[in-house]
Amino acid sequence: MPAVSEYQYYEFVAVDRPLTSVQQRELRALSTRARITSSSFVNDYQWGDLKGDPREWMQRYFDAFLYLANWGTHRVALRLPVGVLDPTTAAKYCVGESACSWATRTHVILDLQSEDEEGDEEYEGGGHLAAILPARAELAAGDRRSLYLAWLLCVQNRELADDEPEPSVPPGLGELSGPQRALADFLRLDPDLLTVAAETSTPLKAAPSTAALSRWVRALPEAEKNELVVRLMRGDDAHLRSELLARFRGAAPDERTGAGRTVGELLARTEERWSRRQQLAQQRAAAERERRERAVAAAREQRLNALAGRQEQEWQRIAAMVETKRPKEYDAAVVLLSDLKALADRDGDTEAFRQRMRLLRERHARKPSLLGRLDRAGLG
C-alpha cells in the first residue's frame, strides 16, 4: 500500500451529558463522513482537515478530545466542571505552550500537546482516548497526578525558567494509575524525568473505610442530606460522588512536598540519572560481549581439540569438497581450513600449514570463487 502524505485523527467524547439531536445535526453539517453518535465524534483525514475549532467544540459539546497526526503531533484535552476542578488549581500546573488551561462560566478545560519532529511510524489513533479518559474521573475526585504530568510536560519541553519552583507534588506519583500511565505515554514524557519527579512524592492514602464514611454522612445536616439524595435520584450530576469524596477528604493541602525543587534541579537530576543509566547499560553490554566471546573461544578450543591428530583426514575432506565446485562446499571447506589454521598457530605448526595452503591455492588457481572466499577468510 503506498504511503499517504499525511494522516490526522480526531476523536471527541461527551461524558457527562449526551449530545442532543440538534447538536448532532450541527456537527453533521461540518462533516459528512465523520462517525457521529450521541456521545462521540470520530474522523480521520488523509487529504483534508477538520472544519471546526477543537477549542470551541470542547467549550460547546464535549468533555474529552484527542488528536494525532503522523508528523508527530499528539494532543489531548479534558473538560471538567468548575465544581470539581478549581480553575486556579489547574492554572498552577498548566503553565506553558505544551500544557494550558482556560475556564468558561461552567467548566475548566485542560489542553496538552506533545510534538515529535521525527513523526510517528504507527499513527493509528483509535484506542488512545479510551485508555486515557478515566484520568478525567480521577481528576474530578481530587487526584492531581494528571495535572502534575501536564506541568512536567512543560518542564521537559524547556518552557519554564530554571529557577521556577515546582508546584505541589501529589501523592502516588511513583505509582501512576493505568489511565495516568496512558496519558504519560501519549505525551511522550521522559521516564527518567518522571522517576526523578516522583522521588519526593508520598505514597497514596488508603481508601476511606466504610465506618469513616458513615460517621461523616451522619454528621451532615438533615436538609443537606435530603438535597444530596434528590440530586442523586435526578441523575443529572455526573460528578456528585467526586464532589462528596472531595468534601470528605477536605481541601487538598497546597504544601510543597520535599525540598521545593526548581525546574533546573529536576532537569539536572534527570540528566544525571540518564547518564548513570547509560553507563550501567554500557557496562552490562560489555559484560555480555565478554561472556559471548568467552563462550565462542571455549567452543573453538573444544573444536580444535577434536581436530588435533586428525589433520591429514581433514585435508583430504577439504580436497574432496573443493573438487565438487559447489559454493556450499567451498564455504564448508573455508570454515574447516580456518580451524586448521587456528590449530596450527596454537601448536606451532604455522609454516607447515602455509605450505599446504600454498599448494592448495596453486592446484585450484583457476577457481576464482574459491580463491575469493579464501582471501576474505584471511587464508592467503
Side-chain angles (χ1 to χ4, degrees):
M1 177 179 177
V4 297
S5 61
E6 64 178 39
Y7 174 87
Q8 297 181 85
Y9 175 88
Y10 291 86
E11 181 176 0
F12 296 84
V13 174
V15 180
D16 293 346
R17 287 182 176 81
L19 298 171
T20 66
S21 57
V22 172
Q23 290 173 325
Q24 292 181 60
R25 285 197 297 271
E26 291 172 352
L27 294 169
R28 178 57 69 194
L30 296 171
S31 176
T32 57
R33 58 183 291 271
R35 301 179 291 283
I36 301 174
T37 70
S38 61
S39 62
S40 67
F41 175 105
V42 179
N43 206 357
D44 53 18
Y45 301 86
Q46 296 183 355
W47 304 102
D49 204 352
L50 182 73
K51 295 178 181 177
D53 182 357
R55 181 184 175 106
E56 180 185 347
W57 286 20
M58 285 296 293
Q59 293 177 180
R60 293 184 59 188
Y61 303 113
F62 296 105
D63 300 305
F65 160 59
L66 183 138
Y67 170 78
L68 184 151
N70 67 336
W71 53 77
T73 300
H74 287 186
R75 182 181 177 189
V76 63
L78 300 173
R79 183 182 76 167
L80 293 98
V82 294
V84 296
L85 179 59
D86 181 8
T88 303
T89 300
K92 290 179 180 178
Y93 292 90
C94 300
V95 291
E97 294 182 4
S98 300
C100 64
S101 67
W102 71 93
T104 66
R105 182 177 57 82
T106 56
H107 291 86
V108 59
I109 299 166
L110 315 177
D111 194 347
L112 317 178
Q113 185 163 311
S114 167
E115 299 286 353
D116 184 350
E117 294 180 356
E118 296 183 0
D120 285 321
E121 294 182 3
E122 297 183 8
Y123 44 78
E124 292 297 329
H128 288 292
L129 187 55
I132 294 170
L133 188 57
R136 177 177 179 268
E138 295 169 340
L139 268 172
D143 188 333
R144 294 188 182 180
R145 285 178 288 178
S146 291
L147 284 177
Y148 188 92
L149 296 180
W151 181 80
L152 213 57
L153 182 63
C154 298
V155 173
Q156 177 173 300
N157 291 337
R158 306 300 197 273
E159 296 173 4
L160 305 176
D162 282 352
D163 59 356
E164 183 79 21
E166 71 176 331
S168 178
V169 182
L173 195 61
E175 42 185 325
L176 296 179
S177 68
Q180 291 161 359
R181 172 55 60 190
L183 177 62
D185 291 343
F186 185 73
L187 296 175
R188 307 183 181 99
L189 277 175
D190 182 350
D192 288 320
L193 178 60
L194 185 53
T195 299
V196 167
E199 288 175 349
T200 61
S201 177
T202 58
L204 282 173
K205 295 181 180 178
S209 66
T210 301
L213 291 172
S214 297
R215 287 193 299 271
W216 185 81
V217 170
R218 285 196 297 270
L220 289 174
E222 190 69 24
E224 186 175 3
K225 278 193 279 192
N226 291 338
E227 179 188 353
L228 290 172
V229 172
V230 171
R231 287 173 61 190
L232 177 65
M233 294 181 69
R234 277 205 316 259
D236 57 0
D237 192 339
H239 296 284
L240 179 57
R241 178 178 178 274
S242 298
E243 177 187 328
L244 291 175
L245 282 173
R247 286 180 55 187
F248 168 78
R249 293 174 178 136
D254 200 22
E255 302 171 356
R256 298 202 183 281
T257 306
R261 302 167 296 185
T262 65
V263 167
E265 289 169 345
L266 281 171
L267 291 174
R269 284 276 299 113
T270 300
E271 181 66 25
E272 291 172 7
R273 176 181 170 79
W274 181 86
S275 297
R276 188 167 62 252
R277 218 162 38 77
Q278 291 297 109
Q279 184 179 13
L280 290 173
Q282 291 170 1
Q283 291 173 352
R284 285 195 295 268
E288 177 61 19
R289 281 195 304 272
E290 185 180 349
R291 184 196 66 77
R292 288 198 300 267
E293 289 169 1
R294 286 199 305 268
V296 169
R300 185 87 183 269
E301 188 66 18
Q302 186 176 6
R303 206 161 59 245
L304 297 184
N305 289 337
L307 275 178
R310 300 182 62 253
Q311 290 94 323
E312 193 59 39
Q313 295 94 312
E314 298 306 325
W315 278 106
Q316 291 174 12
R317 280 186 61 202
I318 291 168
M321 291 175 182
V322 171
E323 290 296 340
T324 65
K325 300 182 182 180
R326 291 197 293 265
K328 287 186 178 180
E329 295 295 316
Y330 284 175
D331 291 335
V334 168
V335 171
L336 190 49
L337 283 166
S338 296
D339 284 346
L340 287 171
K341 180 179 183 300
L343 180 61
D345 291 341
R346 187 192 74 175
D347 295 346
D349 294 330
T350 304
E351 186 55 36
F353 176 83
R354 286 177 179 170
Q355 290 178 6
R356 297 201 71 159
M357 243 349 279
R358 191 159 45 245
L359 291 173
L360 177 69
R361 293 179 69 98
E362 290 173 356
R363 187 176 302 121
H364 300 286
R366 295 186 179 181
K367 295 177 180 175
S369 177
L370 172 64
L371 297 180
R373 284 171 165 80
L374 295 175
D375 290 340
R376 287 192 294 274
L379 296 167

